[in-house]
Amino acid sequence: MQQELKQSYVKTFAKDDLELSTKDLSVLYGGKVQKLFDASLQFKKNTITALIGASGSGKSTFLRSLNRMNDRVATVNGEIWFHGLDVNKPNINVYELRKNIGMVFQRPNPFPKSIRENIVYALKADGQTNKNELDKIVEESLRAAALWDEVKDKLDKSALALSGGQQQRLCIARALAVKPEVLLLDEPASALDPVSTSKLEDTLKQLRSKYTMIMVTHNMQQASRISDYTAFFHLGHVIEYNSTADIFTNPKGKITEEYIQGSFG
Amino acid sequence: MHEIFLDELKKLNTQFMEMGVFVNDQIDQATRAFVDHDKKTAQSMVDNEEKIPTESIDIQKKALKLMALQQPVATDFRVVISILKATTDLERIGENAMSIALETIRVKGNPRIPEVEEIISNMTHNVRHMLIQILTAYVQDDEKMAREVASRDGVIDHDYVRARKLIVDGIEDDPSRAVASSSYFVVTRLLERIGDHIVNLASWVVYKTTGELEELTNPSETKTI
């Protein structure tokens, strides 16, 4: 087992290229069940990183720790560096943090409101009332999420009337409205059909020029299609982290190879 | 899922190896027929010239089907790609053997240059040995053996240069040999090309084993693509 958990390679980047990084990040549930062990990963600006691994490998736990979604759920020890700050410190304003590090979940979860209200909800809650400004943000966000052309004539219709794929892109648009720098995506296409998945992937590829994205996925083809870097998690440990091309053509770790080939266990 | 893939891959590997062994026999038959002026054997080879291309297409179709349906990654991916690419080189070697057979049928006149025929026999022995070894290296994932085989292409090249000089000298000594000697040029050139394709095969063994794409020439000239 020790051999299996041996780290085979973890890529690092020049400091100036970094958007986000973790150092020795560990997560314990209920104070005693450890689900993540000393994960140290660096994420490069304007790239898509895929986090892969079997269920229970710690990848979603890791992802959710990055914008403090595990607060009050688990104990997260270690450092998360963003803009020169360790954002895992207790004195950090997590609401401000989540403006900068947005999240899109596995199942589309639009608010039961209009398409427009979904986009501007957080901004209004934050005190923004200028209609022209809000309209501009609605259009910009929907365009960035490649949804504008499909919904521009029905912005005041219920978001729940959209298809699953459209709802997921709306959730991305909603996350973009508060102008984050990082988007965390937890299996964003797992509930979508192949056509919607393809549109979502195209959207993510277009967003790469402006945002840094970290995505949990169980779909190996998706990871290889759209990510620049891939991290493989196993039993709570980061085993291998490298360019996606290297991971999928010439992985260094035997267990990484077995996992991506589907001959795991 | 992976078991299905491995089962299909095993069949593909077997077919690839069988094609390799068949191509190796073709080199032997073709050069023997040439040296012995055995037009009958050469003609029988030419009559079956479709066998190797047909086999090659069949292997490539199966490899492409595996790629499309099983979407292999990592070592699995490299094995399938190596078969796809190496099959093309095997097919080219088969074509070269077939060209030697055609030259045997085409050759006119009977004057011989025994020293050149000895070199042709040597080159044939060497390329056949190299081909068998590279197929062994392929099966055993033996990168070291692949590199060693590739390095021996220098011997083939050396024999080729030596043969050309002997052919030219032979024609100068007795110009009536000129027509027949042109076939010596063709055959030695074809054997030299077979050596080059074996080097390509060695590159695919290295890629399959290590994931590194390299153009192998000889040890001092090896460069990364």
Side-chain angles (χ1 to χ4, degrees):
Chain A
M1 185 61 77
Q2 280 310 307
Q3 184 62 27
E4 279 187 3
L5 298 176
K6 194 172 160 234
Q7 207 163 64
S8 47
Y9 182 74
V10 172
K11 191 169 184 65
T12 54
F13 299 99
K15 203 175 170 192
D16 288 349
D17 291 336
L18 289 185
E19 181 77 77
L20 186 70
S21 64
T22 65
K23 189 163 185 297
D24 298 331
L25 204 68
S26 297
V27 178
L28 282 96
Y29 288 97
K32 51 188 173 183
V33 183
Q34 191 158 357
K35 288 290 183 184
L36 188 70
F37 299 81
D38 304 324
S40 298
L41 286 175
Q42 298 182 340
F43 299 98
K44 194 179 174 188
K45 284 176 192 162
N46 301 114
T47 60
I48 301 177
T49 302
L51 309 182
I52 62 169
S55 297
S57 61
K59 56 192 188 305
S60 287
T61 296
F62 176 82
L63 188 83
R64 286 161 176 271
S65 299
L66 296 178
N67 70 345
R68 304 276 298 266
M69 296 288 284
N70 280 331
D71 283 15
R72 288 188 281 181
V73 176
T75 310
V76 181
N77 295 316
E79 299 165 16
I80 303 168
W81 289 91
F82 181 61
H83 285 198
L85 279 179
D86 177 4
V87 295
N88 199 34
K89 287 265 163 57
N91 59 345
I92 292 293
N93 179 337
V94 295
Y95 304 106
E96 281 300 316
L97 174 68
R98 288 175 195 155
K99 274 192 206 169
N100 287 302
I101 305 180
M103 190 144 194
V104 176
F105 297 87
Q106 189 172 358
R107 289 200 166 273
N109 54 354
F111 303 139
K113 292 175 175 294
S114 70
I115 294 168
R116 188 196 308 276
E117 281 302 310
N118 264 273
I119 306 288
V120 300
Y121 189 82
L123 301 168
K124 281 184 172 174
D126 199 36
Q128 290 195 40
T129 51
N130 183 321
K131 187 177 181 305
N132 289 341
E133 189 59 30
L134 289 174
D135 283 347
K136 193 173 155 220
I137 292 173
V138 167
E139 181 170 346
E140 278 174 3
S141 306
L142 288 169
R143 278 192 190 281
L147 190 59
W148 175 252
D149 288 339
E150 293 165 51
V151 301
K152 62 185 175 188
D153 299 324
K154 48 184 177 184
L155 293 176
D156 294 313
K157 294 268 164 49
S158 169
L160 300 180
L162 297 174
S163 71
Q166 288 173 324
Q167 286 186 10
Q168 194 64 308
R169 280 180 284 145
L170 177 65
C171 291
I172 291 176
R174 189 174 65 190
L176 298 181
V178 293
K179 306 209 181 316
E181 289 168 49
V182 178
L183 264 189
L184 308 177
L185 303 120
D186 194 357
E187 295 188 60
S190 65
L192 306 183
D193 64 49
V195 175
S196 301
T197 298
S198 173
K199 279 189 181 173
L200 181 83
E201 289 177 1
D202 287 344
T203 305
L204 297 181
K205 277 191 268 187
Q206 283 166 18
L207 292 173
R208 179 166 38 188
S209 61
K210 289 185 182 167
Y211 305 90
T212 302
M213 285 168 280
I214 304 167
M215 175 179 70
V216 164
T217 181
H218 278 292
N219 183 331
M220 293 300 100
Q221 281 74 41
Q222 183 171 62
S224 64
R225 274 196 301 264
I226 66 168
S227 71
D228 303 290
Y229 298 95
T230 296
F232 169 59
F233 285 71
H234 181 54
L235 300 175
H237 295 258
V238 175
I239 301 293
E240 189 162 347
Y241 178 41
N242 206 349
S243 75
T244 297
D246 278 328
I247 291 275
F248 281 88
T249 60
N250 198 12
K252 296 184 193 300
K254 190 169 185 298
I255 194 161
T256 314
E257 170 146 359
E258 286 174 355
Y259 179 73
I260 60 172
Q261 284 180 335
S263 57
F264 199 57
Chain B
M1 178 75 169
H2 198 241
E3 290 301 314
I4 299 169
F5 173 80
L6 291 179
D7 193 40
E8 291 297 316
L9 190 61
K10 195 174 163 191
K11 288 183 203 160
L12 196 60
N13 262 325
T14 304
Q15 196 175 352
F16 173 74
M17 293 302 292
E18 283 171 357
M19 180 177 168
V21 171
F22 180 75
V23 165
N24 201 29
D25 285 345
Q26 294 288 94
I27 302 171
D28 185 41
Q29 271 196 44
T31 46
R32 264 181 212 277
F34 178 78
V35 171
D36 296 345
H37 289 205
D38 179 356
K39 296 192 181 200
K40 195 176 160 197
T41 300
Q43 187 60 52
S44 115
M45 280 180 71
V46 172
D47 291 343
N48 287 304
E49 67 177 340
E50 282 308 309
K51 186 171 163 62
I52 289 174
T54 304
E55 194 68 4
S56 170
I57 289 285
D58 191 51
I59 291 174
Q60 290 179 62
K61 274 184 184 169
K62 285 177 180 162
L64 290 171
K65 189 175 162 194
L66 262 187
M67 297 279 287
L69 299 184
Q70 304 288 335
Q71 302 182 6
V73 291
T75 306
D76 293 343
F77 171 80
R78 300 204 304 266
V79 172
V80 181
I81 285 290
S82 302
I83 288 180
L84 258 177
K85 301 292 284 187
T87 298
T88 311
D89 277 304
L90 270 188
E91 187 182 351
R92 294 287 103 79
I93 294 174
E95 283 172 7
N96 287 333
M98 198 55 66
S99 297
I100 294 174
L102 283 169
E103 201 57 36
T104 304
I105 295 165
R106 213 179 285 138
V107 67
K108 290 191 175 69
N110 214 13
R112 297 284 185 89
I113 307 178
E115 298 90 334
V116 175
E117 291 189 358
E118 196 184 322
I119 292 176
I120 288 175
S121 294
N122 262 338
M123 288 175 85
T124 303
H125 172 79
N126 286 335
V127 293
R128 289 191 69 215
H129 190 54
M130 284 164 70
L131 182 54
I132 285 296
Q133 278 202 308
I134 209 65
L135 292 172
T136 307
Y138 178 86
V139 172
Q140 296 175 351
D141 286 334
D142 190 337
E143 177 204 356
K144 198 174 154 207
M145 188 193 280
R147 289 183 186 278
E148 198 270 320
V149 170
S151 74
R152 295 213 313 266
D153 186 44
V155 176
I156 306 292
D157 291 347
H158 180 260
D159 275 350
Y160 172 58
V161 171
R162 203 158 61 90
R164 287 180 71 92
K165 186 172 182 317
L166 282 172
I167 298 164
V168 172
D169 290 348
I171 294 170
E172 279 174 359
D173 286 349
D174 179 1
S176 71
R177 289 165 158 173
V179 175
S181 294
S182 68
S183 292
Y184 286 144
F185 277 124
V186 172
V187 171
T188 50
R189 173 70 181 150
L190 289 166
L191 287 169
E192 189 270 335
R193 287 294 300 144
I194 288 174
D196 293 344
H197 285 296
I198 292 171
V199 173
N200 289 350
L201 289 174
S203 303
W204 291 114
V205 174
V206 170
Y207 175 69
K208 174 184 174 234
T209 314
T210 67
E212 296 298 324
L213 264 182
E214 287 179 35
E215 190 180 314
L216 298 179
T217 45
N218 67 51
S220 60
E221 290 175 27
T222 298
K223 60 182 180 184
T224 300
I225 296 169

